[in-house]
Amino acid sequence: MLTVVLRTAQVARVLAASTLGRLPLGAAPVALLLFARETMSIGAAGALVGVYTAGIAVGGPVLARVADRLRQPPVMLAGAAVSTAGFLLLASGVPFWAALLAVLLAGLGAPPFEAGLRVLWRTLLDEEQVPTAYTLDIAVQELIFIFGPLVAGASVTLGGPVAGLYVTAGLQLLGTLWFVSTPVVRGWRGEHAERHWAGALRSGRLRLLLVAVILVGTGVGSLPVAVIDYAESVGSRGWSSWILAAQATGALIGGLINTRVKVDGRRLPLLAMCLGLAFVPLLLTPSEPALLLLLAVVSGLFLPPFLAATFVTVDRIAPAGTAAEAFAWVATAFSVGAATGAALDGAILDATTGPRIGFLLSPLVIMLAAPLLVPLARHVRAAMNGFVRNNRKIEFTD
């Protein structure tokens, strides 16, 4: 199935273009931190990253909603132009208040590649191939978080702190131009439907799913803080990047394995529980960092199956005409959760001693998502058992 999907016309192109355009998601935080630390405190540098992330969380659903109503190319290009202007303004060496405005623009304008790509799968592929496409997309996405920081670091090493910003903006712009030039992107149109001020959020089932995604994002987002604290406890911060890369590698492996398995909303509670349990071994916090590398790989294995099942479910429950916006809300929910997890774990570690406690938040909050997903899984199961699909999308109403 994976080979068939990749050989389908335009699939490899839109996947590659969106991956290139999303590389700044992994590169920008590192580039911003390295640039800011030349003249700013660590607190100010962290504030820039936080504002950039907040901008993405707010701008993604807004841009996706506009794309649902219009077309993707003008929205993606306009967003990329605003984001590029933000990076260039920051690189010019403006005061701190203007730097905050610059990174906000850079985040708000970041093109919604995830949403834009995922609404294309049903145009390009047959119904039974769509879950494989979601899983492949998620697996490839891990490359962003493996290579993004490396690209930013190499750029700064070769060209100085400002080079990281230029390269980040350039990759985003290049990926956008490549993506919107693809025939399927130029030809895609949002579904004609009655519009509502709440957009995709008028679906109660989608709101429930987003709460669960926030919890999962909280667990995943707390891991970098715990890893940095652990690395400092063993005497080398350098281990933190390797451990996080190992977790991303585990997610890549899990995603590739999962391309052979059909996932849907019926398995969401089980997948959330398995994902939470996969983080439990990290509580061992071995004194030898190499052992933690292996445990980090395990912790990443179930993230792609969970996200793939989430996207398949979103595709089913999103109100008509809001597909791109619904996918963007999932990305925003995960980002909000990740930011919350980092803040909570930092506060926990400040108030306690010992690195092990830092790894406790991840499995706890992720497994809390499982019972929330049970009603949704039951509904999906009943709907799939009660209707003959005939290769058509099932519409659920609240």
Side-chain angles (χ1 to χ4, degrees), residues 1-221:
M1 182 72 76
L2 176 60
T3 303
V4 173
V5 168
L6 283 173
R7 288 179 177 175
T8 301
Q10 302 186 67
V11 165
R13 178 174 174 178
V14 294
L15 185 60
S18 69
T19 301
L20 179 63
R22 285 181 286 174
L23 200 63
L25 295 179
V30 175
L32 290 172
L33 285 170
L34 294 177
F35 174 80
R37 285 296 287 145
E38 290 294 305
T39 58
M40 303 178 191
S41 67
I42 186 64
L48 291 183
V49 175
V51 171
Y52 173 75
T53 304
I56 293 176
V58 173
V62 173
L63 292 174
R65 178 180 287 201
V66 177
D68 271 326
R69 287 154 174 74
L70 302 175
R71 298 184 300 118
Q72 290 195 38
V75 175
M76 303 284 278
L77 290 171
V82 171
S83 184
T84 300
F87 281 118
L88 295 179
L89 176 61
L90 179 63
S92 67
V94 293
F96 181 64
W97 67 267
L100 290 174
L101 175 60
V103 293
L104 179 61
L105 290 175
L108 287 172
F113 283 103
E114 291 187 48
L117 174 66
R118 285 163 190 157
V119 297
L120 299 176
W121 292 138
R122 292 193 176 275
T123 301
L124 291 170
L125 301 168
D126 294 333
E127 178 76 17
E128 65 273 10
Q129 296 172 331
V130 172
T132 300
Y134 286 137
T135 306
L136 175 63
D137 172 17
I138 295 163
V140 172
Q141 184 173 278
E142 293 303 321
L143 298 176
I144 296 167
F145 301 103
I146 295 174
F147 291 105
L150 298 178
V151 169
S155 301
V156 172
T157 299
L158 295 174
V162 74
L165 300 179
Y166 289 145
V167 169
T168 297
L171 289 173
Q172 180 175 259
L173 188 57
L174 181 61
T176 303
L177 292 172
W178 189 11
F179 186 78
V180 302
S181 67
T182 307
V184 68
V185 178
R186 296 200 309 269
W188 182 85
R189 297 292 187 276
E191 183 179 358
H192 292 290
E194 181 181 352
R195 303 299 178 182
H196 188 276
W197 69 268
L201 293 181
R202 68 179 182 270
S203 168
R205 293 188 182 95
L206 179 61
R207 295 196 299 269
L208 179 63
L209 182 60
L210 292 178
V211 172
V213 171
I214 289 174
L215 289 173
V216 171
T218 299
V220 175

